[in-house]
Amino acid sequence: MPELELDPCTIHLKGTAVSSGPTDVRRVTAPDAPPSTVHSEFIGELHFENEYPTEETVEKLFDQLDFQRSCQVFLRNITASSMYAFREGLRRDLGVTSPSQLVVWENQFDARSLLLTPNSETVYGMTYLDLKADGPTVAEVAPGMLGLVNDMWMREVTNIGPAGPDQSHGGRFLFVPPDYDGDLPPYGFHVVRSATYGLWFALRGMRTPDGSSAQAIELQRQTRIYPLAEMSDPRPMDFVNASGVDLDTIHPVDIRYFEDLAALVGEEHPEAIDPETKGMLATIGIEHGVSFDPDERMTRILKEAAKVGSAMALATSYRTRLPLQRYDDRQWIEIANTGYPYYEKDGHTMLDGLSLMGWFATGSSIAMVTPPPGKGSAYMWTYLDGKGEWLDGACTYELTLPAGVPMANFWSVVVYDVWTRSMLANGEAAPSLNSYADLDTNPDGSVTVSFGPEPPATGEKNWIRTVPGKGWFTIFRLYGPTEGYFDHSWKLSDITPIG
């Protein structure tokens, strides 16, 4: 047995022949050892000693790794944070803590309600179901309602109306928790299973041709939501009128974003999300069943990631690299090619589409992508004028709607705030116009809408006020789109700067 002869840096086996071998080898793809200083365009200098990174460099690399992962968590989970913040806003500002409380905007929707890109012309009814507390839950819906139900990651669970199993006939929906294995009624319900305990329940009632919302309100008030266990004696409904009330449902863009996300992951079913998303969340300390308690270093990183992640989300939404142009020669974009509502294409997840729509809007529904002719709704929006410049609240613009707008119901133009993505608070009753209003029409039947901080010399009825010092964007909606929309034969003008 040879004896060991120890040296501070080398070990030799006494009595063992020393073989000859290469001191260097040919490398094709294998890396060379780095120099003592490596310059990175994105994170600065990295320092190495005897081929190993210095402790300072290791700390810098881990900070950068955790920052990058935190930014990706922000972008990947905007939909979840939005759903959570919406529910918390209803609880905090309106006292809505039960599914049997349905929030209804009985008067015209205005800027006091901070929601992602709502329409001022429809009558919304919204609440959250709690399948963990209530078990299987029944929702009775009146005929003629449009609606959708999303889980807490804003994934489509079911539709209500033309694209839903009720086919606009209304009826009883039964929502079943993810871990429920008990008995269910054999018939009489549209049974819907959910991946999450929480569900966002949203209904839309349409105004009548004279612009009245009375019928839509009455339909909303026919809604009944109660646990299946209470079917023989359902709890009464409480309809909460949110009109004119200050309400904030927008997700935060600071450390609270990650705190909210951790709270949601903690309260939800452990299998609510896929393993890769769970793994990414776990790398920054967000895990089901584990307390979220970031230390000082990680708190600093998360604060920075919320700041940068929100700017990234805005950029991917407002300067999208996806092919979303509605027309080859106009700035208008549309929902097609985002991957919405499933964000899948050719076997992969469309991450940019997911963060774009999560930042921009609330709700996922296939009905918004493929509305039946004459039913449903279609959307076009823009952040840019005809020259490709951001829309500026200090400038004046015009938009022309050619004659023969292809619609069975009505159209609307609504102006939004860049960062809240809610209706622009411009001092008016609502920052919007619609075809129900008494608007001026041009001799050829077209309608010109003007935008700017001051009313135009003529056509003030067709004017939407903007705010100097603030950007804005707009959505054009068609309710009941008809042939001219689908074949692209009817085209909106660009928003054109005036003066």
Side-chain angles (χ1 to χ4, degrees):
M1 183 91 178
E3 297 179 7
L4 287 175
E5 186 176 286
L6 301 180
D7 181 271
C9 295
T10 61
I11 298 177
H12 296 289
L13 293 176
K14 192 172 182 179
T16 302
V18 177
S19 62
S20 61
T23 58
D24 198 5
V25 294
R26 174 178 173 270
R27 305 173 192 226
V28 178
T29 56
D32 289 318
S36 59
T37 300
V38 173
H39 298 274
S40 166
E41 179 182 352
F42 296 104
I43 64 172
E45 290 188 348
L46 304 175
H47 299 287
F48 295 82
E49 292 178 359
N50 197 29
E51 302 191 354
Y52 288 105
T54 64
E55 285 303 310
E56 178 186 3
T57 291
V58 168
E59 291 177 6
K60 176 186 285 191
L61 289 168
F62 280 142
D63 283 353
Q64 185 65 210
L65 179 62
D66 290 343
F67 172 70
Q68 290 184 14
R69 284 176 171 166
S70 298
C71 286
Q72 292 306 311
V73 164
F74 188 102
L75 293 169
R76 180 65 180 81
N77 293 277
I78 296 175
T79 52
S81 180
S82 184
M83 287 284 91
Y84 183 89
F86 202 127
R87 187 189 68 186
E88 295 307 293
L90 296 183
R91 289 176 173 178
R92 180 191 62 244
D93 297 338
L94 300 179
V96 174
T97 59
S98 167
S100 61
Q101 293 173 286
L102 186 70
V103 179
V104 180
W105 282 262
E106 296 188 0
N107 303 323
Q108 187 178 42
F109 206 102
D110 64 25
R112 292 181 182 87
S113 292
L114 297 178
L115 276 67
L116 292 179
T117 54
N119 188 1
S120 55
E121 281 70 41
T122 54
V123 179
Y124 293 103
M126 299 179 188
T127 193
Y128 274 80
L129 309 189
D130 186 352
L131 305 183
K132 180 185 281 188
D134 295 336
T137 298
V138 178
E140 298 180 6
V141 180
M145 297 298 290
L146 288 172
L148 65 151
V149 180
N150 283 182
D151 73 13
M152 294 303 287
W153 266 260
M154 209 186 289
R155 296 171 298 208
E156 182 182 67
V157 175
T158 193
N159 282 278
I160 299 168
D166 64 305
Q167 293 290 291
S168 293
H169 298 300
R172 296 187 298 184
F173 290 77
L174 178 59
F175 297 97
V176 182
D179 54 359
Y180 184 80
D181 60 1
D183 294 333
L184 295 173
Y187 56 86
F189 296 88
H190 303 295
V191 177
V192 182
R193 292 190 175 271
S194 172
T196 62
Y197 294 122
L199 289 175
W200 181 58
F201 181 90
L203 296 173
R204 292 186 299 167
M206 308 303 294
R207 293 190 181 203
T208 53
D210 61 358
S212 171
S213 60
Q215 180 178 321
I217 294 170
E218 176 58 30
L219 290 173
Q220 292 281 11
R221 287 180 168 270
Q222 293 179 36
T223 305
R224 298 290 181 269
I225 301 174
Y226 51 88
L228 178 65
E230 299 178 9
M231 188 171 174
S232 61
D233 186 21
R235 63 184 67 173
M237 289 292 292
D238 177 19
F239 297 96
V240 180
N241 185 6
S243 298
V245 179
D246 291 328
L247 169 65
D248 186 352
T249 71
I250 308 301
H251 65 80
V253 293
D254 51 34
I255 187 67
R256 291 173 297 173
Y257 179 97
F258 296 102
E259 292 169 348
D260 289 355
L261 196 54
L264 176 60
V265 169
E267 73 183 37
E268 269 301 341
H269 192 275
E271 302 303 319
I273 48 178
D274 64 89
E276 185 166 349
T277 301
K278 285 194 287 187
M280 184 67 79
L281 288 164
T283 65
I284 65 169
I286 298 177
E287 293 185 73
H288 182 84
V290 178
S291 176
F292 180 63
D293 187 24
D295 59 18
E296 183 178 348
R297 167 189 165 274
M298 198 63 197
T299 297
R300 173 177 56 85
I301 289 171
L302 292 171
K303 287 180 177 179
E304 191 70 11
K307 187 164 48 178
V308 174
S310 60
M312 288 177 172
L314 185 147
T316 59
S317 185
Y318 298 176
R319 285 284 195 185
T320 180
R321 296 183 290 187
L322 297 173
L324 305 185
Q325 296 301 120
R326 168 70 180 174
Y327 311 110
D328 292 339
D329 58 347
R330 311 286 163 93
Q331 299 293 344
W332 295 95
I333 60 177
E334 62 182 353
I335 206 167
N337 296 326
T338 61
Y340 177 94
Y342 309 121
Y343 306 107
E344 293 180 358
K345 181 181 179 181
D346 299 331
H348 71 266
T349 301
M350 295 187 67
L351 294 175
D352 279 357
L354 177 62
S355 60
L356 182 158
M357 292 303 297
W359 176 263
F360 167 75
T362 302
S364 294
S365 170
I366 192 64
M368 296 184 186
V369 182
T370 56
K375 298 180 180 180
S377 49
Y379 307 81
M380 292 177 258
W381 64 95
T382 187
Y383 312 94
L384 308 174
D385 66 20
K387 297 179 180 179
E389 301 293 332
W390 297 118
L391 294 168
D392 185 342
C395 297
T396 300
Y397 305 90
E398 287 185 350
L399 165 67
T400 298
L401 283 62
V405 179
M407 62 182 189
N409 296 319
F410 70 96
W411 60 259
S412 76
V413 175
V414 185
V415 169
Y416 298 95
D417 183 287
V418 169
W419 276 92
T420 68
R421 294 142 284 163
S422 304
M423 289 185 183
L424 181 69
N426 66 351
E428 304 292 332
S432 62
L433 291 171
N434 62 74
S435 56
Y436 290 138
D438 179 24
L439 302 178
D440 292 329
T441 303
N442 299 320
D444 64 356
S446 65
V447 174
T448 299
V449 176
S450 62
F451 309 87
E454 300 295 335
T458 59
E460 185 173 344
K461 291 192 295 185
N462 293 26
W463 167 62
I464 301 176
R465 183 191 297 274
T466 58
V467 181
K470 291 188 67 63
W472 57 276
F473 66 94
T474 188
I475 301 178
F476 176 77
R477 291 174 171 89
L478 284 172
Y479 286 87
T482 54
E483 184 178 357
Y485 166 79
F486 292 102
D487 65 15
H488 289 212
S489 60
W490 184 88
K491 295 173 67 173
L492 277 172
S493 78
D494 270 326
I495 296 179
T496 305
I498 303 299

